[in-house]
Amino acid sequence: MATIEDLVAKDAIADLLARYCRGIDRMDLDMVRDCYHADATDEHGSFSGTVGEFLVWVHRLLRKYDATAHHIGRPLIEFTSPTRARSETYGFAVHRSTDGPPELNLVTGFRYLDVIDQRGGDWRISSRIATTEWVLPVDEWFPIADRLRTGSRDRSDPAYG
């Protein structure tokens, strides 16, 4: 049976993973950086390196898109010590580019395989492997009506208000 401390830690880890997705989709690289320990590593598609190098790489990649939307399922979190957890999170991400080549419009299925450590009271990613499980092309996007509120890829997004 899980202890109260385990449940509190799992909730903090789930929030961490959701903040990562918000940071990526809003292109808030400070938020993304805050999800990792300073000495963290990330293996993400064609990229493998430090968190600082990852932020440079992912910013260059994200600029190709008008929008991304990362959707994650409930993470499977297993504690290997009181201050370390392994997490597996399934998800899919929608990518949209109106100015780029059509192949940039796609949906990917992925998994985040994380080692998450608690240091100084905060749970953050120490290492991540992001697997690509499948990719679906999107043939056509429909325009969003002008009367509908939309998000923005910066801190003016309604989520920050």
Short mmCIF file of all heavy atoms in Angstrom, two decimals, residues 34-71:
data_model
loop_
_atom_site.label_atom_id
_atom_site.label_comp_id
_atom_site.label_asym_id
_atom_site.label_seq_id
_atom_site.Cartn_x
_atom_site.Cartn_y
_atom_site.Cartn_z
N ASP A 34 13.32 24.38 -15.89
CA ASP A 34 13.01 24.17 -14.48
C ASP A 34 12.51 22.75 -14.20
O ASP A 34 12.47 22.33 -13.05
CB ASP A 34 11.98 25.20 -14.02
CG ASP A 34 11.87 25.26 -12.52
OD1 ASP A 34 12.92 25.36 -11.84
OD2 ASP A 34 10.72 25.18 -12.01
N CYS A 35 12.16 22.00 -15.22
CA CYS A 35 11.71 20.62 -15.05
C CYS A 35 12.88 19.65 -14.92
O CYS A 35 12.67 18.48 -14.59
CB CYS A 35 10.81 20.22 -16.22
SG CYS A 35 9.25 21.12 -16.27
N TYR A 36 14.08 20.11 -15.20
CA TYR A 36 15.27 19.27 -15.18
C TYR A 36 16.24 19.72 -14.08
O TYR A 36 16.33 20.91 -13.79
CB TYR A 36 16.03 19.39 -16.50
CG TYR A 36 15.37 18.78 -17.70
CD1 TYR A 36 14.45 19.51 -18.45
CD2 TYR A 36 15.69 17.51 -18.13
CE1 TYR A 36 13.86 18.97 -19.59
CE2 TYR A 36 15.11 16.95 -19.25
CZ TYR A 36 14.20 17.69 -19.98
OH TYR A 36 13.62 17.15 -21.10
N HIS A 37 16.99 18.77 -13.55
CA HIS A 37 18.15 19.12 -12.74
C HIS A 37 19.21 19.68 -13.67
O HIS A 37 19.26 19.33 -14.87
CB HIS A 37 18.68 17.91 -11.98
CG HIS A 37 17.79 17.48 -10.86
ND1 HIS A 37 17.58 18.25 -9.74
CD2 HIS A 37 17.03 16.36 -10.69
CE1 HIS A 37 16.77 17.62 -8.92
NE2 HIS A 37 16.40 16.48 -9.48
N ALA A 38 20.09 20.54 -13.17
CA ALA A 38 21.10 21.20 -13.99
C ALA A 38 22.02 20.20 -14.70
O ALA A 38 22.49 20.47 -15.81
CB ALA A 38 21.92 22.16 -13.13
N ASP A 39 22.25 19.03 -14.11
CA ASP A 39 23.15 18.04 -14.71
C ASP A 39 22.40 16.95 -15.48
O ASP A 39 22.95 15.90 -15.80
CB ASP A 39 24.04 17.42 -13.63
CG ASP A 39 23.23 16.71 -12.55
OD1 ASP A 39 21.99 16.90 -12.47
OD2 ASP A 39 23.85 15.98 -11.75
N ALA A 40 21.15 17.20 -15.82
CA ALA A 40 20.31 16.20 -16.49
C ALA A 40 20.76 15.95 -17.93
O ALA A 40 21.41 16.79 -18.56
CB ALA A 40 18.86 16.66 -16.49
N THR A 41 20.35 14.79 -18.44
CA THR A 41 20.56 14.45 -19.84
C THR A 41 19.22 14.11 -20.47
O THR A 41 18.26 13.74 -19.78
CB THR A 41 21.51 13.25 -19.98
OG1 THR A 41 20.95 12.12 -19.29
CG2 THR A 41 22.90 13.58 -19.44
N ASP A 42 19.16 14.26 -21.79
CA ASP A 42 17.94 13.97 -22.53
C ASP A 42 18.32 13.32 -23.85
O ASP A 42 19.20 13.81 -24.56
CB ASP A 42 17.15 15.26 -22.79
CG ASP A 42 15.71 15.00 -23.20
OD1 ASP A 42 15.50 14.21 -24.15
OD2 ASP A 42 14.81 15.59 -22.59
N GLU A 43 17.65 12.21 -24.16
CA GLU A 43 17.76 11.56 -25.46
C GLU A 43 16.39 11.68 -26.10
O GLU A 43 15.43 11.08 -25.63
CB GLU A 43 18.17 10.10 -25.29
CG GLU A 43 18.34 9.37 -26.59
CD GLU A 43 18.62 7.89 -26.37
OE1 GLU A 43 19.42 7.55 -25.47
OE2 GLU A 43 18.01 7.09 -27.10
N HIS A 44 16.30 12.48 -27.15
CA HIS A 44 15.01 12.90 -27.69
C HIS A 44 15.08 12.84 -29.21
O HIS A 44 15.57 13.77 -29.85
CB HIS A 44 14.78 14.35 -27.25
CG HIS A 44 13.39 14.66 -26.84
ND1 HIS A 44 13.00 14.77 -25.53
CD2 HIS A 44 12.28 14.91 -27.57
CE1 HIS A 44 11.72 15.07 -25.46
NE2 HIS A 44 11.26 15.15 -26.68
N GLY A 45 14.60 11.77 -29.81
CA GLY A 45 14.67 11.66 -31.26
C GLY A 45 16.12 11.67 -31.73
O GLY A 45 16.94 10.89 -31.27
N SER A 46 16.45 12.61 -32.61
CA SER A 46 17.80 12.69 -33.16
C SER A 46 18.77 13.38 -32.22
O SER A 46 19.95 13.51 -32.52
CB SER A 46 17.78 13.42 -34.51
OG SER A 46 17.33 14.76 -34.33
N PHE A 47 18.30 13.84 -31.06
CA PHE A 47 19.14 14.58 -30.12
C PHE A 47 19.52 13.69 -28.92
O PHE A 47 18.70 12.92 -28.42
CB PHE A 47 18.40 15.81 -29.58
CG PHE A 47 19.14 16.45 -28.45
CD1 PHE A 47 20.18 17.32 -28.71
CD2 PHE A 47 18.85 16.14 -27.14
CE1 PHE A 47 20.91 17.88 -27.68
CE2 PHE A 47 19.56 16.70 -26.10
CZ PHE A 47 20.60 17.57 -26.37
N SER A 48 20.74 13.87 -28.44
CA SER A 48 21.17 13.28 -27.19
C SER A 48 22.22 14.19 -26.57
O SER A 48 23.21 14.53 -27.23
CB SER A 48 21.76 11.88 -27.42
OG SER A 48 22.09 11.28 -26.18
N GLY A 49 21.98 14.65 -25.33
CA GLY A 49 22.94 15.53 -24.70
C GLY A 49 22.45 16.10 -23.39
O GLY A 49 21.53 15.56 -22.76
N THR A 50 23.05 17.20 -22.98
CA THR A 50 22.72 17.86 -21.72
C THR A 50 21.41 18.64 -21.85
O THR A 50 20.94 18.90 -22.97
CB THR A 50 23.82 18.83 -21.30
OG1 THR A 50 23.83 19.93 -22.23
CG2 THR A 50 25.19 18.16 -21.26
N VAL A 51 20.87 19.04 -20.72
CA VAL A 51 19.63 19.82 -20.75
C VAL A 51 19.85 21.16 -21.45
O VAL A 51 18.98 21.62 -22.20
CB VAL A 51 19.02 19.99 -19.34
CG1 VAL A 51 19.88 20.83 -18.44
CG2 VAL A 51 17.62 20.58 -19.43
N GLY A 52 21.00 21.80 -21.25
CA GLY A 52 21.29 23.06 -21.94
C GLY A 52 21.32 22.88 -23.44
O GLY A 52 20.75 23.69 -24.19
N GLU A 53 21.95 21.82 -23.90
CA GLU A 53 22.01 21.53 -25.34
C GLU A 53 20.62 21.17 -25.86
O GLU A 53 20.24 21.56 -26.97
CB GLU A 53 22.98 20.37 -25.60
CG GLU A 53 24.41 20.71 -25.28
CD GLU A 53 25.31 19.48 -25.18
OE1 GLU A 53 24.80 18.36 -24.93
OE2 GLU A 53 26.53 19.64 -25.35
N PHE A 54 19.83 20.45 -25.05
CA PHE A 54 18.47 20.10 -25.45
C PHE A 54 17.63 21.35 -25.68
O PHE A 54 16.88 21.42 -26.65
CB PHE A 54 17.82 19.21 -24.38
CG PHE A 54 16.35 18.99 -24.61
CD1 PHE A 54 15.90 18.19 -25.65
CD2 PHE A 54 15.40 19.59 -23.79
CE1 PHE A 54 14.55 17.99 -25.88
CE2 PHE A 54 14.04 19.39 -23.99
CZ PHE A 54 13.61 18.58 -25.04
N LEU A 55 17.74 22.32 -24.79
CA LEU A 55 16.95 23.54 -24.93
C LEU A 55 17.27 24.28 -26.23
O LEU A 55 16.37 24.80 -26.90
CB LEU A 55 17.15 24.45 -23.73
CG LEU A 55 16.57 23.89 -22.42
CD1 LEU A 55 17.05 24.71 -21.24
CD2 LEU A 55 15.06 23.80 -22.46
N VAL A 56 18.53 24.32 -26.62
CA VAL A 56 18.92 24.94 -27.89
C VAL A 56 18.31 24.15 -29.04
O VAL A 56 17.71 24.72 -29.97
CB VAL A 56 20.46 25.02 -28.02
CG1 VAL A 56 20.87 25.45 -29.42
CG2 VAL A 56 21.03 25.96 -26.96
N TRP A 57 18.44 22.83 -28.99
CA TRP A 57 17.94 21.97 -30.05
C TRP A 57 16.42 22.07 -30.17
O TRP A 57 15.88 22.24 -31.26
CB TRP A 57 18.35 20.52 -29.78
CG TRP A 57 17.81 19.53 -30.75
CD1 TRP A 57 18.31 19.22 -31.98
CD2 TRP A 57 16.66 18.69 -30.57
NE1 TRP A 57 17.53 18.25 -32.57
CE2 TRP A 57 16.52 17.91 -31.73
CE3 TRP A 57 15.74 18.53 -29.53
CZ2 TRP A 57 15.50 16.97 -31.88
CZ3 TRP A 57 14.73 17.61 -29.68
CH2 TRP A 57 14.61 16.84 -30.85
N VAL A 58 15.70 21.97 -29.04
CA VAL A 58 14.24 21.95 -29.10
C VAL A 58 13.69 23.31 -29.51
O VAL A 58 12.68 23.39 -30.22
CB VAL A 58 13.62 21.45 -27.77
CG1 VAL A 58 13.59 22.51 -26.69
CG2 VAL A 58 12.22 20.90 -28.02
N HIS A 59 14.35 24.40 -29.13
CA HIS A 59 13.89 25.73 -29.57
C HIS A 59 13.99 25.85 -31.09
O HIS A 59 13.07 26.34 -31.75
CB HIS A 59 14.69 26.83 -28.88
CG HIS A 59 14.19 28.19 -29.22
ND1 HIS A 59 14.87 29.06 -30.06
CD2 HIS A 59 13.05 28.84 -28.86
CE1 HIS A 59 14.17 30.16 -30.19
NE2 HIS A 59 13.07 30.06 -29.48
N ARG A 60 15.09 25.39 -31.64
CA ARG A 60 15.26 25.42 -33.10
C ARG A 60 14.17 24.58 -33.78
O ARG A 60 13.63 24.97 -34.81
CB ARG A 60 16.67 24.91 -33.44
CG ARG A 60 17.10 25.17 -34.85
CD ARG A 60 18.59 24.88 -35.11
NE ARG A 60 19.06 23.64 -34.52
CZ ARG A 60 20.00 23.55 -33.58
NH1 ARG A 60 20.58 24.63 -33.10
NH2 ARG A 60 20.37 22.38 -33.12
N LEU A 61 13.84 23.45 -33.19
CA LEU A 61 12.80 22.58 -33.75
C LEU A 61 11.41 23.20 -33.62
O LEU A 61 10.64 23.23 -34.58
CB LEU A 61 12.84 21.23 -33.03
CG LEU A 61 11.87 20.16 -33.50
CD1 LEU A 61 12.23 19.69 -34.90
CD2 LEU A 61 11.88 18.99 -32.52
N LEU A 62 11.08 23.71 -32.45
CA LEU A 62 9.74 24.26 -32.20
C LEU A 62 9.44 25.47 -33.07
O LEU A 62 8.27 25.71 -33.41
CB LEU A 62 9.59 24.63 -30.72
CG LEU A 62 9.51 23.47 -29.75
CD1 LEU A 62 9.59 23.97 -28.32
CD2 LEU A 62 8.25 22.65 -29.97
N ARG A 63 10.45 26.25 -33.43
CA ARG A 63 10.23 27.44 -34.27
C ARG A 63 9.68 27.09 -35.64
O ARG A 63 9.11 27.94 -36.31
CB ARG A 63 11.53 28.23 -34.43
CG ARG A 63 11.97 28.95 -33.20
CD ARG A 63 13.14 29.86 -33.46
NE ARG A 63 14.08 29.24 -34.38
CZ ARG A 63 15.39 29.42 -34.37
NH1 ARG A 63 15.93 30.22 -33.49
NH2 ARG A 63 16.17 28.81 -35.25
N LYS A 64 9.80 25.84 -36.05
CA LYS A 64 9.28 25.41 -37.36
C LYS A 64 7.75 25.30 -37.35
O LYS A 64 7.14 25.21 -38.41
CB LYS A 64 9.87 24.06 -37.75
CG LYS A 64 11.36 24.07 -37.96
CD LYS A 64 11.85 22.68 -38.29
CE LYS A 64 13.36 22.66 -38.45
NZ LYS A 64 13.85 21.32 -38.80
N TYR A 65 7.17 25.28 -36.15
CA TYR A 65 5.73 25.02 -36.02
C TYR A 65 4.98 26.26 -35.58
O TYR A 65 5.48 27.08 -34.83
CB TYR A 65 5.49 23.89 -35.00
CG TYR A 65 6.11 22.59 -35.43
CD1 TYR A 65 7.31 22.16 -34.88
CD2 TYR A 65 5.50 21.81 -36.40
CE1 TYR A 65 7.89 20.97 -35.29
CE2 TYR A 65 6.07 20.63 -36.82
CZ TYR A 65 7.27 20.21 -36.26
OH TYR A 65 7.84 19.04 -36.68
N ASP A 66 3.73 26.36 -36.04
CA ASP A 66 2.82 27.40 -35.55
C ASP A 66 2.24 26.98 -34.20
O ASP A 66 1.90 27.83 -33.38
CB ASP A 66 1.66 27.61 -36.52
CG ASP A 66 2.12 28.03 -37.89
OD1 ASP A 66 3.00 28.89 -37.98
OD2 ASP A 66 1.59 27.48 -38.88
N ALA A 67 2.11 25.67 -34.01
CA ALA A 67 1.53 25.17 -32.76
C ALA A 67 1.95 23.73 -32.55
O ALA A 67 2.16 22.98 -33.51
CB ALA A 67 0.00 25.24 -32.82
N THR A 68 2.07 23.37 -31.28
CA THR A 68 2.22 21.98 -30.88
C THR A 68 1.29 21.76 -29.69
O THR A 68 0.99 22.70 -28.96
CB THR A 68 3.66 21.62 -30.48
OG1 THR A 68 4.08 22.45 -29.40
CG2 THR A 68 4.62 21.77 -31.66
N ALA A 69 0.86 20.53 -29.52
CA ALA A 69 0.01 20.19 -28.37
C ALA A 69 0.41 18.80 -27.89
O ALA A 69 0.16 17.81 -28.59
CB ALA A 69 -1.46 20.25 -28.74
N HIS A 70 1.06 18.74 -26.74
CA HIS A 70 1.50 17.48 -26.16
C HIS A 70 0.46 17.01 -25.14
O HIS A 70 0.12 17.74 -24.22
CB HIS A 70 2.86 17.65 -25.48
CG HIS A 70 3.98 17.80 -26.45
ND1 HIS A 70 4.14 18.93 -27.23
CD2 HIS A 70 4.98 16.96 -26.78
CE1 HIS A 70 5.20 18.77 -28.00
NE2 HIS A 70 5.74 17.59 -27.74
N HIS A 71 -0.04 15.81 -25.33
CA HIS A 71 -1.05 15.22 -24.46
C HIS A 71 -0.44 13.98 -23.82
O HIS A 71 0.03 13.10 -24.54
CB HIS A 71 -2.30 14.82 -25.27
CG HIS A 71 -2.89 15.98 -26.01
ND1 HIS A 71 -3.84 16.80 -25.44
CD2 HIS A 71 -2.65 16.46 -27.25
CE1 HIS A 71 -4.17 17.74 -26.32
NE2 HIS A 71 -3.46 17.56 -27.41
#
